[in-house]
Amino acid sequence: MKLRSLFIVGILLAVTLVASAETLRYRGSIGQRTAMITLNVSGDDVTDASYRYDRETATTTFSQSHLMGTTLVLADEDGNIFHLHLQDAAGDGVKDFPHTQQLQGNMTRDELDLPVLLKRVDTTVP
């Protein structure tokens, strides 16, 4: 009986975690190029993140992500590091993803330092 109860609790927890995960998409510019960043978030955790430049088929996955206050730091395998400030529509800092309407900051690698400005788009965009 205890094993069955634990099994049911495990299923309920898994369903709750899946139900609370959300995919957020932000479109805008990285330097002079148009791009989209996709974040899969669960609460305050980024469970998966990637970006893709327009007119390119390749998607780059971020290997690291850390949320520190109102700043999201993302890094990919190519050495690109993004420092993105979570902001509402007015540009004020926010500390959670449901209220984040835009990401503003920069992408750096070696001598490269590009401005980044991305605005949230409808989650139904492919």
Side-chain angles (χ1 to χ4, degrees):
M1 185 68 169
K2 287 183 181 184
L3 183 59
R4 183 176 181 175
S5 296
L6 288 174
F7 178 72
I8 292 171
V9 169
I11 289 176
L12 291 174
L13 285 173
V15 169
T16 302
L17 288 174
V18 169
S20 65
E22 183 177 8
T23 299
L24 305 174
R25 290 185 175 85
Y26 297 88
R27 176 176 290 288
S29 61
I30 300 173
Q32 295 182 5
R33 298 180 71 184
T34 305
M36 179 180 290
I37 285 183
T38 302
L39 304 174
N40 292 321
V41 299
S42 180
D44 289 339
D45 295 323
V46 176
T47 58
D48 187 43
S50 63
Y51 68 99
R52 182 179 60 83
Y53 291 108
D54 284 2
R55 299 189 184 133
E56 287 190 14
T57 56
T59 299
T60 303
T61 301
F62 291 108
S63 56
Q64 297 181 35
S65 65
H66 304 283
L67 180 60
M68 298 176 291
T70 63
T71 303
L72 176 63
V73 179
L74 300 166
D76 66 23
E77 295 294 329
D78 294 331
N80 297 312
I81 300 172
F82 289 73
H83 291 89
L84 303 173
H85 304 288
L86 281 61
Q87 300 176 339
D88 62 14
D92 296 324
V94 296
K95 291 186 177 186
D96 60 358
F97 290 107
H99 294 101
T100 302
Q101 294 300 311
Q102 65 184 23
L103 301 170
Q104 184 172 7
N106 65 335
M107 181 196 80
T108 59
R109 181 183 71 212
D110 300 325
E111 301 291 320
L112 185 66
D113 188 1
L114 300 174
V116 177
L117 178 59
L118 305 156
K119 297 190 183 266
R120 190 167 174 177
V121 295
D122 186 341
T123 56
T124 59
V125 174

